[in-house]
Amino acid sequence: MNRVYIKTYGCQMNERDSAAVASKLRARGYSLVESEHEADVVLLNTCAVRDQAEQKAIGKTGRLAKRKRTDPDFILGIMGCMAQNRGEALVDTLPDLDLLVGTQKFHRVPEMLDNLLESRRGLGPRPATLVDLETEAGSEETIREHGEERQVSAFVSIMQGCNMHCTFCIVPKTRGAERYRSMDNIVEEVRELAAKGTREVTLLGQIVNNYGMRQMPFVDGKSPFTQLLERVQEVDGIERIRFTSPHPRGFQRDLVEAYGCLPKLMPYVHLPLQSGSDRVLRAMRRPYTVRRFREIVEQLRAVRPDICLSTDIIVGSPGETEADFEQTRAVFDETGFDMAFIFKYSPRSGTTAADMEDDVPDDVKDARNKTLLDILARHSRRRNDSLVGGVEEVLVEGPARKGEGMFTGRNPGNRKVIFPGAPRLVGEIVPVRITESSVSVVRGELVLAGAEAAAPLHAATA
Ligand code: SAH
Ligand code: F3S
């Protein structure tokens, strides 16, 4: 009765939250399984950013609930952003739900499951859905456990919530107000990870460069976030540092300069632009201009010419004209992003944008989406082609999904590299000569230590 499967929708924060729940459950004697079919308990950790994400999770819940007809002991729960967003109304549509857990209550899941199982063993009627969607002071410190198994690359949550008011965005509602973890606790978590073999950490938050802003002092002109990066840089065993996401507002000089002086900070930034039209940015209540965005990009490229850039764009937000989109297209093309997440605007009830008419027809959204995806493919391909013939430092993550003896890792620019490797290389940073490129990955061969750099060596490992 204690096999749990957690299915995660959405972003890296959700992945991190699920991992923390899994770890807490294991500590409590539950076992985590790889598929819903082997599980006595299925928990869906959900996303609310777009309607599509919610519909997926609702559809999945409906299908899973059918199992209750033949297996009344089966337990089904919804956690995270959709639980928080829709609240108890979800129980009306999905009466078979046993658990509904909000974004500040992940740490309570083991106890809630225990209670549920306890009452199942008793003779009483089936308990009503257990619901906990409250806010909780200090909950930002509860996402800290990791499993016992080694993670070469690990996520570390440094803060929760968001205080911005982007008109389209449901996140401030689902994740609550901005709260920071203490720097000491974060660094301690990173040290523990390093001791278990982690080589790369990605610091997570809705706006990481806001970290500590309202509570911690600037020191020598450095923001709390830059100070945190410096402290993580000092942790032995950690070789690479990444973070997601910063906000263009508050992307100050000290953070740009960190790319010049922190060798572990990888040359890759995910910096959400959303739109290339100042008019649309204003309507979105995004407090920066396209000019300022360009300036940040120029500064970053001046400090790290090899820096890779990624972004988020929304196409078809209320009132976006052909001329607005043309500006987005132009900035998008000119900046030459290596990676991008392009979203078709989806009205979220409860946001300010939802009061405006969703007036861009779906086929226009599709066309704009495709235009940007084509540009992205071109730039991504160009970047990958430029790697061919060169040697990339690759942090080896594990066996590739396809191809015997093939391993995957990432280069500093976060590009996936596939090459013939060996299990002992997992967790190592190895030189790989790139021989082939496609739009999304590159392939290559290990360069043997001591071998002449010029000649690629075959069957380097085995
Ligand atoms: N602060 C977070 C943003 C979380 S939402 C971060 O910077 O990573 C992730 C992305 O989803 C946003 O950047 C935005 O591009 C997209 N998004 C948010 N609300 C949306 C909506 N209503 N419709 C379409 N895309 C949306
Ligand atoms: Fe959403 Fe804007 Fe915050 S995109 S997460 S409200 S910065």
Side-chain angles (χ1 to χ4, degrees):
M1 268 321 287
N2 66 359
R3 293 166 303 174
V4 183
Y5 173 65
I6 303 179
K7 180 168 175 60
T8 308
Y9 298 85
C11 64
Q12 292 103 327
M13 334 258 162
N14 287 12
E15 277 180 46
R16 178 67 198 104
D17 294 336
S18 291
V21 171
S23 176
K24 286 175 210 285
L25 284 170
R26 270 195 210 99
R28 198 71 152 233
Y30 290 86
S31 66
L32 273 291
V33 295
E34 296 293 316
S35 101
E36 62 190 56
H37 307 291
E38 309 160 44
D40 310 304
V41 179
V42 173
L43 303 174
L44 305 182
N45 190 10
T46 54
C47 171
V49 146
R50 285 167 301 144
D51 187 53
Q52 200 191 1
E54 290 202 347
Q55 291 313 328
K56 253 202 213 162
I58 289 172
K60 184 80 190 168
T61 313
R63 288 192 298 280
L64 284 165
K66 293 204 180 104
R67 190 169 141 190
K68 296 213 160 202
R69 287 185 212 145
T70 51
D71 179 5
D73 288 335
F74 176 59
I75 292 178
L76 184 55
I78 291 186
M79 319 187 281
C81 285
M82 183 176 74
Q84 200 73 50
N85 186 32
R86 299 209 169 200
E88 296 205 41
L90 262 181
V91 184
D92 300 335
T93 23
L94 301 162
D96 286 316
L97 273 184
D98 299 293
L99 276 181
L100 193 62
V101 185
T103 54
Q104 306 200 21
K105 296 293 182 178
F106 289 112
H107 56 289
R108 285 209 54 220
V109 169
E111 174 195 337
M112 291 170 87
L113 271 183
D114 283 357
N115 291 345
L116 207 59
L117 289 169
E118 194 71 22
S119 63
R120 289 280 171 89
R121 272 180 220 113
L123 294 170
R126 197 176 88 84
T129 313
L130 287 183
V131 178
D132 196 346
L133 302 166
E134 297 303 305
T135 57
E136 184 176 317
S139 64
E140 63 279 5
E141 288 288 1
T142 64
I143 304 298
R144 62 127 29 243
E145 285 94 347
H146 294 266
E148 282 310 308
E149 70 290 0
R150 177 186 193 183
Q151 304 171 72
V152 171
S153 179
F155 291 133
V156 174
S157 165
I158 65 166
M159 60 202 289
Q160 290 284 334
C162 180
N163 287 354
M164 300 295 274
H165 304 278
C166 304
T167 53
F168 52 81
C169 187
I170 197 74
V171 171
K173 177 179 173 198
T174 62
R175 289 278 172 174
E178 193 170 272
R179 289 110 57 213
Y180 319 118
R181 293 183 64 196
S182 91
M183 224 184 265
D184 286 343
N185 288 350
I186 297 168
V187 173
E188 185 54 33
E189 181 177 331
V190 174
R191 279 206 196 99
E192 284 166 20
L193 283 165
K196 283 191 287 183
T198 293
R199 294 291 165 256
E200 173 178 274
V201 286
T202 302
L203 308 180
L204 296 181
Q206 296 301 339
I207 307 185
V208 286
N209 49 330
N210 261 11
Y211 173 78
M213 266 311 168
R214 288 172 297 111
Q215 283 162 19
M216 305 173 199
F218 275 62
V219 176
D220 300 332
K222 287 173 190 157
S223 68
F225 182 61
T226 306
Q227 296 168 44
L228 175 64
L229 291 175
E230 288 179 341
R231 287 192 57 186
V232 176
Q233 163 77 34
E234 294 306 310
V235 178
D236 286 339
I238 297 299
E239 305 291 345
R240 294 181 166 191
I241 305 169
R242 303 182 189 277
F243 55 77
T244 196
S245 303
H247 194 290
R249 188 188 76 157
F251 205 109
Q252 300 302 342
R253 202 70 231 191
D254 63 313
L255 186 51
V256 171
E257 276 158 14
Y259 282 91
C261 47
L262 299 179
K264 294 179 182 177
L265 190 56
M266 290 293 103
Y268 179 93
V269 188
H270 176 73
L271 190 59
L273 170 64
Q274 311 299 0
S275 170
S277 151
D278 283 340
R279 200 186 70 79
V280 173
L281 286 175
R282 261 197 314 279
M284 288 174 161
R285 289 211 211 121
R286 299 279 296 181
Y288 52 86
T289 58
V290 175
R291 193 177 146 176
R292 172 65 190 138
F293 187 91
R294 283 202 177 100
E295 189 176 273
I296 300 168
V297 169
E298 277 163 28
Q299 289 175 351
L300 284 166
R301 286 189 167 145
V303 173
R304 286 290 310 241
D306 60 337
I307 205 154
C308 290
L309 293 172
S310 154
T311 198
D312 287 346
I313 303 277
I314 298 178
V315 293
S317 58
E320 185 188 72
T321 63
E322 205 47 59
D324 291 320
F325 176 70
E326 172 49 29
Q327 292 179 23
T328 300
R329 194 204 56 73
V331 187
F332 190 79
D333 198 2
E334 170 209 297
T335 311
F337 293 103
D338 298 276
M339 181 58 198
F341 300 89
I342 299 153
F343 304 96
K344 292 193 284 171
Y345 171 71
S346 161
R348 310 309 295 130
S349 107
T351 63
T352 351
D355 297 337
M356 297 180 243
E357 196 192 339
D358 179 15
D359 56 356
V360 179
D362 210 45
D363 56 331
V364 175
K365 286 181 187 167
D366 277 331
R368 292 178 184 173
N369 186 39
K370 182 169 186 315
T371 300
L372 297 186
L373 285 175
D374 289 346
I375 295 172
L376 173 64
R378 180 155 51 77
H379 286 293
S380 176
R381 180 72 204 236
R382 188 195 298 161
R383 167 75 75 175
N384 287 352
D385 287 349
S386 78
L387 300 177
V388 174
V391 174
E392 290 294 302
E393 295 288 309
V394 175
L395 173 61
V396 186
E397 286 171 8
R401 244 183 264 152
K402 281 189 226 150
E404 191 154 352
M406 300 304 280
F407 282 72
T408 69
R410 287 182 187 264
N411 75 349
N414 212 29
R415 197 55 82 177
K416 194 172 190 179
V417 182
I418 301 178
F419 60 98
R424 70 183 159 76
L425 297 178
V426 172
E428 302 290 317
I429 294 176
V430 298
V432 175
R433 180 177 306 281
I434 306 305
T435 54
E436 245 180 85
S437 82
S438 65
V439 170
S440 56
V441 301
V442 294
R443 292 166 186 275
E445 286 157 350
L446 276 171
V447 178
L448 278 184
E452 281 309 312
L457 285 165
H458 295 266
T461 58

